[in-house]
């Protein structure tokens, strides 16, 4: 079944799982495990979904960084979250602030190395109380603050609302919002936890009422 689609590209659940596993093993070799935060700064697309799933499969917690953010905000989040690893793309790498002690992994630059990793499910070591992600507030009332969300919080979001919606494998969900905005958690995991299809909406389409 199709798990995620972006424009003319798509990944079946098997493909999504295997690609996420390969990246997860790559991250495990870099010390990622429970409570370890991994920055993700990627443009919208399939790689973004693969990377989020890979961080969780490695046992870590993802810290989303929207490439559209000002450099000052990106630098603040990277420093405040103390991410030891950052996932990005070559075309974005030059615009990202450097931080001592942080390893930058370029998905396209390391594509061959990642593809050589095992496609089997890794042992993550994470549990319901483990950190799943850190999303930062806008900072409109001062400095941005990171909200620490555990796996059980995400699971409860869907178990508490299932009676209203009856989630299932025939559902198609759009990832409309930025993945650095908390509502994206509802949009991403709604389909993937229930065997449905996730459609990543291109940024230009999200800004066009007609589209």
């Amino acid at each position: 079944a199709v798990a995620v689609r972006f424009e003319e590209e798509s990944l079946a659940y098997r493909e999504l799982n295997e690609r996420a596993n390969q990246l997860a093993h790559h991250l495990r070799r870099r010390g990622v495990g429970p409570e370890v935060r991994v920055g993700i700064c990627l443009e919208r697309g399939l790689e973004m979904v693969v990377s989020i799933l890979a961080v969780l499969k490695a046992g870590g917690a993802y810290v989303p960084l929207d490439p559209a953010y000002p450099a000052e905000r990106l630098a603040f989040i990277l420093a405040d979250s103390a991410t030891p690893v950052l996932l990005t793309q070559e075309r974005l790498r030059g615009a990202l602030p450097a931080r001592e002690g942080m390893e930058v992994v370029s998905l396209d630059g390391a594509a061959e190395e990642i593809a050589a990793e095992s496609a089997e499910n890794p042992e993550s070591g994470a549990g319901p109380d483990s950190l799943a992600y850190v999303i930062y507030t806008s900072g409109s009332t001062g400095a941005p603050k990171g909200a620490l969300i555990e796996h059980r919080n995400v699971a409860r979001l869907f178990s508490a609302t299932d009676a209203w919606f009856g989630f299932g494998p025939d559902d198609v969900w759009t990832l409309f919002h930025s993945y650095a905005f908390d509502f994206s958690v509802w949009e991403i995991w709604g389909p993937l936890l229930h065997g449905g299809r996730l459609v990543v909406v291109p940024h230009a389409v999200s800004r066009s009422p007609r589209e």
Side-chain angles (χ1 to χ4, degrees), residues 14 39-40 48 57 72 90 101 108-109 120 147 152 155 166 171 185-186 197:
R14 182 187 301 276
I40 299 179
M48 182 183 71
K57 278 176 165 286
E72 295 80 7
E90 284 296 323
D108 40 357
E120 297 298 316
R152 61 176 178 171
D171 296 336
V185 175
W186 169 264
R197 188 193 320 158

Coordinates of all heavy atoms in Angstrom, one line a residue, residues 14 39-40 48 57 72 90 101 108-109 120 147 152 155 166 171 185-186 197:
R14 N 6.4 -0.8 2.6 CA 7.7 -1.6 2.7 C 8.9 -0.7 2.3 O 9.9 -0.8 3.0 CB 7.6 -2.8 1.7 CG 8.9 -3.7 1.7 CD 8.8 -4.8 0.6 NE 7.7 -5.6 0.7 CZ 7.6 -6.7 1.5 NH1 8.6 -7.0 2.3 NH2 6.5 -7.4 1.5
G39 N 18.6 16.9 14.9 CA 18.0 18.0 14.1 C 17.7 17.5 12.7 O 18.4 16.7 12.1
I40 N 16.6 18.0 12.2 CA 16.2 17.7 10.8 C 15.9 19.0 10.1 O 14.9 19.7 10.4 CB 15.0 16.7 10.7 CG1 15.2 15.4 11.4 CG2 14.6 16.5 9.2 CD1 14.1 14.4 11.4
M48 N 11.9 13.9 4.0 CA 11.6 14.4 5.3 C 10.8 13.4 6.1 O 11.1 13.2 7.3 CB 10.7 15.7 5.0 CG 10.2 16.4 6.3 SD 9.1 17.7 5.9 CE 7.7 16.8 5.4
K57 N 13.0 5.4 14.9 CA 13.4 4.0 14.8 C 14.8 3.8 15.5 O 15.1 2.7 16.0 CB 13.5 3.5 13.4 CG 12.1 3.1 12.8 CD 12.2 2.7 11.3 CE 11.0 2.0 10.8 NZ 11.0 0.6 11.3
E72 N 19.0 33.2 12.4 CA 19.1 33.4 13.8 C 18.3 32.4 14.6 O 18.7 31.9 15.7 CB 18.7 34.8 14.2 CG 19.6 35.9 13.7 CD 19.3 36.2 12.2 OE1 18.3 35.7 11.7 OE2 20.0 37.0 11.6
E90 N 22.5 18.7 0.7 CA 23.7 19.5 0.3 C 23.3 20.9 -0.1 O 24.0 21.9 0.3 CB 24.3 18.8 -0.9 CG 25.2 17.6 -0.6 CD 26.4 17.9 0.3 OE1 27.0 19.0 0.1 OE2 26.7 17.1 1.1
G101 N 30.9 20.4 17.9 CA 30.4 19.1 18.5 C 29.2 18.5 17.8 O 28.7 17.5 18.2
D108 N 21.8 13.4 0.7 CA 22.3 13.1 -0.6 C 23.8 12.9 -0.7 O 24.2 12.0 -1.5 CB 21.8 14.2 -1.6 CG 21.9 15.6 -1.0 OD1 22.3 15.8 0.1 OD2 21.6 16.6 -1.8
G109 N 24.5 13.6 0.1 CA 26.0 13.4 0.1 C 26.4 12.0 0.6 O 27.4 11.5 0.1
E120 N 16.8 -4.1 7.8 CA 16.1 -4.7 8.9 C 15.7 -3.7 10.0 O 16.5 -2.7 10.2 CB 16.9 -5.9 9.5 CG 17.2 -7.0 8.5 CD 15.9 -7.6 8.0 OE1 15.0 -7.9 8.8 OE2 15.8 -7.9 6.8
A147 N 9.2 22.4 23.3 CA 8.2 21.5 24.0 C 8.7 20.1 23.8 O 8.9 19.6 22.7 CB 6.8 21.7 23.3
R152 N 4.2 8.4 24.3 CA 2.9 8.1 24.8 C 1.9 9.3 24.5 O 0.7 9.1 24.4 CB 3.0 7.8 26.3 CG 3.5 9.0 27.1 CD 3.5 8.7 28.6 NE 4.0 9.7 29.4 CZ 3.9 9.8 30.7 NH1 3.3 8.8 31.4 NH2 4.5 10.8 31.4
A155 N 0.7 8.7 21.0 CA -0.2 7.6 21.0 C -1.6 8.0 21.6 O -2.6 7.6 21.0 CB 0.4 6.4 21.7
G166 N -12.8 7.2 13.5 CA -12.7 5.9 13.0 C -11.6 5.8 12.0 O -11.8 5.4 10.8
D171 N -8.0 6.0 4.6 CA -7.9 7.4 4.8 C -6.7 8.0 4.0 O -5.7 7.4 4.0 CB -7.8 7.8 6.3 CG -9.0 7.3 7.1 OD1 -10.1 7.3 6.5 OD2 -8.8 7.1 8.3
V185 N 2.2 16.9 13.6 CA 2.3 15.5 14.2 C 1.0 14.8 14.0 O 1.0 13.6 13.7 CB 2.5 15.7 15.7 CG1 2.5 14.4 16.4 CG2 3.9 16.4 15.9
W186 N -0.1 15.5 14.1 CA -1.5 14.9 13.8 C -1.5 14.5 12.3 O -2.0 13.4 12.0 CB -2.5 16.0 14.1 CG -3.9 15.7 13.6 CD1 -4.5 16.2 12.4 CD2 -4.9 14.9 14.2 NE1 -5.8 15.7 12.3 CE2 -6.1 15.0 13.4 CE3 -5.0 14.2 15.4 CZ2 -7.3 14.3 13.8 CZ3 -6.1 13.6 15.8 CH2 -7.3 13.6 14.9
R197 N -2.8 6.8 3.8 CA -1.8 7.4 2.8 C -1.6 8.9 3.2 O -2.5 9.6 3.5 CB -2.3 7.4 1.4 CG -1.3 7.8 0.4 CD -1.9 8.1 -1.0 NE -2.9 7.0 -1.3 CZ -3.9 7.2 -2.2 NH1 -3.9 8.4 -2.9 NH2 -4.7 6.3 -2.5

